[in-house]
Amino acid sequence: MKIISAKVIVTCPGRNFVTLKIMTDQGVYGIGDATMNGREKAVVAYLEDHVIPCLIGMDPRRIEDIWQYLYRGAYWRRGPVTMRAIAAVDVALWDIKAKMANMPLYQLLGGRSRDGIMVYGHANGSDIAETVDAVGQYIDLGYKAIRAQTGVPGIKDAYGVGRGKLFYEPADAALPSVTGWDTRKALNYVPKLFEKLRETYGFDHHLLHDGHHRYTPQEAANLGKMLEPYQLFWLEDVTPAENQEAFKLVRQHTVTPLAVGEIFNTIWDAKDLIQNQLIDYIRCTIVSAGGVTHLRRIADLASLYQVRTGSHGATDLSPVTMGTALHFDTWVPNFGIQEYMRHTEETDAVFPHDYHFASGELFCGEAPGHGVDIDEALAAKYPYKPAYLPVARLSDGTMWNW
Ligand code: KDG
Ligand code: MG
């Protein structure tokens, strides 16, 4: 069996997506996601110029060997561009293998470990009252877990506050828009949101919060401590993780569970955090961390230390990543939770898929492969539109972490 061709499809049905389609001499094809929000074309070039030429003629059944070829063979290892390109190939090859076996992907991974995948949705509002209402709407929709983010008085466009109901898309401008940040104001306000949420809805639902890399380790520890009475499911990206040791300080001071990893690319970014039990949930996902082949390695390491998975699932991860992640989640023994931001109807139409939502859970389908396709004719109707993530500055103009 041979790979005879491969192509990259760029489409913007409301937001940009980069998709790899690999064709074989047996008529079976596979689809992989390679989207990198705000930097899409870097991955397109990497795939078209440096990966696809090497794939032609290879045996698509040799998934592990092709993964190693693209990782070791590039000499230049790791990084968000390389690992997304590898992920796109890897997912397309798993799709092909599962279709050849006439099985849904989760069966090839080892079979079903659970019936449904608990997901969390994004509730947000411009202030506490609006966010409390938004959480109520998710509860009414049957969600068991909800991430809550609020605008903060005095901060321009605080992270996580959307512009429409159920949909939240931060990549909003042809050049990065400038948002604000003020740690003191956030530390004064965020705990009040969770106090109000518990007072209003009780303790039956899981509540989550994303610090989006904004706090220093000491500030993060302080926030974790202040949130303890409200029993969060997790506090995410509460401090930047380039220095994995930074989490020691946070961990020493709070029992609020910690989650990190949506911007990690390899097991090496998470190794110390996992081995030292500095986190509770690992957020790496299929598209950013080298596909199914590498994410499985990360999840297995995490399982040794009782760290559970909590894969990133924002709208910039295409339905191809979501579908694949759901097969992964259906199998992975140390599953924790799956993030689920709904795609728009336009996106769902471009990527026909067989997963579905019911009562706070997502369910992968039983179709052979990962169950997600691309309608190329429809995709062609939505040309690429440059769209950047915002940047953040403090009130004196200093650049901060968005
Ligand atoms: O592209 C950036 C988004 O994926 C990110 O801001 C979303 O932090 C995020 C989350 O937890 O979903
Ligand atoms: Mg996040």
Side-chain angles (χ1 to χ4, degrees):
M1 188 174 185
K2 280 190 172 40
I3 295 173
I4 52 166
S5 64
K7 64 175 159 184
V8 180
I9 302 156
V10 181
T11 180
C12 186
R15 67 163 345 287
N16 292 311
F17 294 108
V18 176
T19 307
L20 177 71
K21 183 168 181 178
I22 296 181
M23 272 72 67
T24 68
D25 59 354
Q26 303 202 6
V28 180
Y29 63 85
I31 305 279
D33 177 25
T35 308
M36 178 157 73
N37 208 1
R39 297 289 187 276
E40 295 85 2
K41 289 197 165 175
V43 194
V44 174
Y46 193 95
L47 280 166
E48 287 182 345
D49 296 344
H50 307 295
V51 173
I52 291 176
C54 304
L55 292 178
I56 308 304
M58 283 186 172
D59 181 343
R61 295 170 298 187
R62 296 182 63 168
I63 299 178
E64 184 67 48
D65 184 62
I66 292 176
W67 196 98
Q68 300 294 340
Y69 179 96
L70 294 173
Y71 183 82
R72 293 171 195 263
Y75 187 63
W76 311 108
R77 297 182 184 197
R78 307 165 66 179
V81 176
T82 304
M83 297 310 289
R84 271 182 177 75
I86 294 178
V89 173
D90 186 76
V91 167
L93 297 183
W94 277 104
D95 193 25
I96 290 169
K97 195 180 271 291
K99 284 173 177 166
M100 297 287 293
N102 200 27
M103 284 181 188
L105 176 57
Y106 74 84
Q107 290 290 8
L108 286 193
L109 295 175
R112 189 176 281 285
S113 296
R114 58 196 54 78
D115 300 326
I117 303 305
M118 180 168 74
V119 297
Y120 70 90
H122 283 205
N124 56 70
S126 59
D127 57 17
I128 289 177
E130 260 186 51
T131 308
V132 171
D133 282 353
V135 168
Q137 287 165 21
Y138 276 91
I139 291 174
D140 292 345
L141 286 169
Y143 280 77
K144 300 168 192 211
I146 302 135
R147 183 187 102 153
Q149 304 291 139
T150 176
V152 178
I155 299 183
K156 179 180 175 281
D157 299 329
Y159 167 77
V161 180
R163 291 173 189 82
K165 277 194 179 157
L166 289 175
F167 301 107
Y168 164 66
E169 179 48 69
D172 61 354
L175 284 174
S177 50
V178 180
T179 63
W181 181 251
D182 184 319
T183 301
R184 184 66 260 155
K185 290 191 164 84
L187 288 176
N188 286 345
Y189 202 69
V190 171
K192 291 187 189 131
L193 166 67
F194 286 91
E195 183 184 14
K196 190 78 194 161
L197 284 170
R198 288 307 190 197
E199 201 184 289
T200 312
Y201 301 115
F203 282 76
D204 285 348
H205 295 87
H206 297 302
L207 294 178
L208 300 81
H209 184 70
D210 191 347
H212 224 251
H213 326 271
R214 301 291 166 94
Y215 303 91
T216 66
Q218 185 280 337
E219 293 159 354
N222 189 11
L223 179 61
K225 220 169 170 176
M226 287 193 286
L227 291 174
E228 280 173 13
Y230 316 116
Q231 297 281 300
L232 265 58
F233 185 92
W234 80 34
L235 180 57
E236 172 189 341
D237 286 343
V238 69
T239 198
E242 285 100 327
N243 175 16
Q244 298 183 41
E245 272 188 40
F247 277 71
K248 272 189 196 159
L249 196 144
V250 187
R251 196 60 149 177
Q252 275 162 7
H253 292 287
T254 181
V255 292
T256 294
L258 302 174
V260 69
E262 70 181 39
I263 63 171
F264 292 176
N265 309 126
T266 70
I267 199 165
W268 303 104
D269 298 323
K271 176 180 145 291
D272 298 347
L273 288 168
I274 292 172
Q275 286 181 337
N276 295 319
Q277 292 174 270
L278 299 179
I279 54 170
D280 301 279
Y281 296 92
I282 183 70
R283 300 253 308 131
C284 300
T285 192
I286 303 279
V287 64
S288 53
V292 172
T293 299
H294 196 64
L295 191 62
R296 188 161 66 169
R297 223 150 256 151
I298 296 172
D300 280 345
L301 176 68
S303 76
L304 301 181
Y305 298 93
Q306 301 194 47
V307 172
R308 290 188 285 160
T309 64
S311 287
H312 190 204
T315 39
D316 45 302
L317 285 62
S318 93
V320 178
T321 286
M322 182 54 73
T324 311
L326 292 174
H327 283 271
F328 190 90
D329 296 339
T330 297
W331 155 72
V332 73
N334 49 326
F335 172 74
I337 199 166
Q338 169 69 51
E339 181 179 15
Y340 174 46
M341 280 173 82
R342 287 160 190 264
H343 288 112
T344 60
E345 280 175 19
E346 291 83 354
T347 298
D348 283 337
V350 168
F351 295 96
H353 53 263
D354 68 348
Y355 57 82
H356 73 275
F357 174 87
S359 313
E361 295 182 340
L362 277 169
F363 298 84
C364 67
E366 291 292 324
H370 56 46
V372 188
D373 209 337
I374 182 162
D375 179 335
E376 291 185 58
L378 194 56
K381 293 191 178 153
Y382 300 106
Y384 174 74
K385 266 197 220 141
Y388 278 93
L389 290 169
V391 295
R393 289 189 186 275
L394 305 182
S395 55
D396 68 359
T398 306
M399 274 300 296
W400 203 243
N401 308 316
W402 179 75

